[in-house]
């Protein structure tokens, strides 16, 4: 009996040691660590600078409102960066598991696109049209890691938004063979960069004003998250000369909960 308990403790210690080693390997990857470190410093400098300006009496109320919005944006970006970084590390090391929940995939996709419309207006991309493409039923209940999948698709959309100054961004969703597939297509000029960041084993991150390091880091972390969730990525050019990204992730339909009353949408344009 004591021998069995002793062996069980040894196996547990060994498993924990392997898990910790994987976590350390993820966190200490030079490119990942350097990118996160650079972006944290950038956002913290922004918060400090605008906080200082906010307390300066010579600025108008409108200017102070803009400073406040910049501080909020930097805080949101820091939170998003940390969530992607530590969540990916935890999944890869095995210290965190998939959080599968029964979710209405149609409603989730509608919520995503609604948030994307807000972000589009917030970024002032008046020359970019958001087109919603999907062929989902009006209600489709599936078991999937909703929070992480939402984060992945949001990162892909933000990348498309950064690369597109005029034209379109199309977001779509399909379900079949126990996989949910999202696509983000744009008419921008970021194919080479997106392809490298999403597909290359050792993507090059250049920390300069000419490259959005925040977007690049979140794209790499999204790729690692997709891999940890046992998903697939495909990146290709489209007819508009832009980039099309397809991500397929595991999602199992909930028995007896699928209700079909016609498709929710096939092609919607955000206004």
């Amino acid at each position: 009996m004591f021998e069995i308990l002793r062996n069980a403790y040894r196996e547990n210690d060994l498993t924990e040691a392997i898990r910790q080693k994987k976590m350390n390997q993820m966190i200490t990857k030079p490119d990942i660590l350097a990118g996160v470190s650079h972006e944290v410093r950038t956002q913290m400098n922004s918060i400090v600078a605008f906080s200082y300006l906010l307390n300066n009496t010579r600025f108008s109320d409108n200017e102070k409102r803009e400073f406040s919005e910049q501080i909020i944006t930097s805080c949101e970006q820091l939170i998003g960066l940390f969530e992607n970084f530590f969540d990916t590390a935890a999944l890869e090391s095995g210290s965190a598991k998939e959080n599968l929940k029964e979710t209405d995939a149609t409603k989730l996709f509608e919520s995503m696109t609604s948030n994307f419309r807000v972000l589009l207006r917030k970024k002032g991309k008046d020359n970019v049209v958001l087109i919603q493409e999907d062929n989902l039923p009006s209600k489709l209940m599936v078991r999937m890691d909703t929070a992480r999948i939402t984060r992945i698709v949001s990162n892909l959309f933000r990348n498309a938004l950064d690369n597109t100054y005029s034209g379109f961004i199309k977001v779509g969703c399909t379900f079949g063979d126990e996989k949910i597939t999202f696509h983000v297509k744009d008419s921008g000029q970021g194919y080479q960069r997106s392809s490298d960041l999403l597909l290359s084993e050792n993507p090059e991150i250049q920390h300069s004003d000419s490259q959005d390091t925040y977007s690049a880091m979140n794209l790499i972390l999204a790729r690692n998250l997709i891999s940890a969730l046992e998903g697939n990525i495909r990146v290709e050019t489209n007819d508009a000369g832009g980039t099309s990204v397809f991500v397929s992730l595991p999602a199992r339909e909930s028995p007896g909960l699928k209700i079909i009353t016609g498709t929710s949408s096939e092609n919607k344009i955000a206004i």
Side-chain angles (χ1 to χ4, degrees), residues 11-51:
E11 288 180 5
N12 185 63
D13 289 344
L14 181 60
T15 301
E16 186 60 35
I18 292 172
R19 188 177 295 165
Q20 189 62 44
K21 182 179 179 182
K22 286 183 177 180
M23 176 76 84
N24 291 337
Q25 287 175 342
M26 164 64 194
I27 292 177
T28 56
K29 286 179 182 177
D31 287 342
I32 297 291
L33 192 59
V36 171
S37 175
H38 174 272
E39 192 56 33
V40 167
R41 289 196 304 271
T42 300
Q43 300 303 332
M44 289 302 298
N45 287 338
S46 174
I47 292 170
V48 171
F50 283 111
S51 296

Side-chain angles (χ1 to χ4, degrees), residues 4 21 26 36 59 73-74 78 99 104 109 124 131 139 193 198 202 227 231 259:
I4 293 173
K21 182 179 179 182
M26 164 64 194
V36 171
F59 292 105
T73 298
S74 292
L78 275 177
N99 185 18
D104 184 345
F109 183 68
I131 302 174
K139 186 173 185 179
R193 174 175 175 269
L198 286 170
N202 296 297
S227 177
I259 304 174

Side-chain angles (χ1 to χ4, degrees), residues 10 18 50 103 106 160 267:
R10 284 174 182 169
I18 292 172
F50 283 111
T103 304
T106 303
N267 200 342

Side-chain angles (χ1 to χ4, degrees), residues 39-245:
E39 192 56 33
V40 167
R41 289 196 304 271
T42 300
Q43 300 303 332
M44 289 302 298
N45 287 338
S46 174
I47 292 170
V48 171
F50 283 111
S51 296
Y52 173 79
L53 295 176
L54 200 59
N55 291 321
N56 195 314
T57 56
R58 68 188 180 89
F59 292 105
S60 67
D61 289 342
N62 286 336
E63 289 174 320
K64 288 182 178 181
R65 255 192 305 272
E66 290 180 10
F67 299 156
S68 179
E69 289 174 1
Q70 288 293 336
I71 292 171
I72 292 172
T73 298
S74 292
C75 289
E76 289 174 344
Q77 291 188 342
L78 275 177
I79 291 170
L81 187 69
F82 284 138
E83 282 183 339
N84 287 328
F85 178 63
F86 289 115
D87 197 25
T88 302
L91 277 173
E92 288 191 347
S93 69
S95 60
K97 304 296 182 183
E98 290 183 72
N99 185 18
L100 301 178
K101 293 183 178 179
E102 287 185 352
T103 304
D104 184 345
T106 303
K107 187 175 180 180
L108 174 66
F109 183 68
E110 290 285 348
S111 176
M112 284 185 189
T113 52
S114 177
N115 290 335
F116 295 161
R117 293 184 189 104
V118 173
L119 185 58
L120 190 69
R121 288 193 292 269
K122 188 176 178 181
K123 290 280 189 177
K125 295 291 184 83
D126 297 331
N127 295 323
V128 179
V129 177
L130 174 60
I131 302 174
Q132 180 178 332
E133 300 178 319
D134 70 89
N135 194 25
L136 296 173
S138 59
K139 186 173 185 179
L140 175 63
M141 300 301 295
V142 295
R143 284 181 58 80
M144 60 183 180
D145 197 326
T146 307
R148 290 180 174 118
I149 288 176
T150 299
R151 199 180 308 149
I152 288 168
V153 180
S154 295
N155 284 340
L156 296 178
F157 178 79
R158 286 176 180 273
N159 178 64
L161 197 57
D162 288 340
N163 293 328
T164 308
Y165 299 98
S166 64
F168 66 81
I169 297 176
K170 299 178 180 180
V171 290
C173 179
T174 58
F175 175 77
D177 298 326
E178 296 190 345
K179 287 185 180 294
I180 190 162
T181 300
F182 295 92
H183 68 252
V184 179
K185 306 174 183 178
D186 64 63
S187 58
Q189 302 301 312
Y191 169 75
Q192 192 59 51
R193 174 175 175 269
S194 298
S195 179
D196 181 50
L197 293 172
L198 286 170
L199 301 179
S200 175
E201 287 298 324
N202 296 297
E204 183 179 354
I205 306 173
Q206 298 179 7
H207 310 300
S208 65
D209 294 336
S210 61
Q211 182 179 11
D212 188 342
T213 310
Y214 173 77
S215 175
M217 281 308 308
N218 276 330
L219 210 57
I220 292 173
L221 293 171
R223 178 200 62 184
N224 293 345
L225 196 55
I226 292 166
S227 177
L229 292 174
E230 298 182 349
N232 300 308
I233 315 171
R234 190 171 86 249
V235 184
E236 57 189 41
T237 56
N238 53 44
D239 294 339
T243 308
S244 295
V245 181

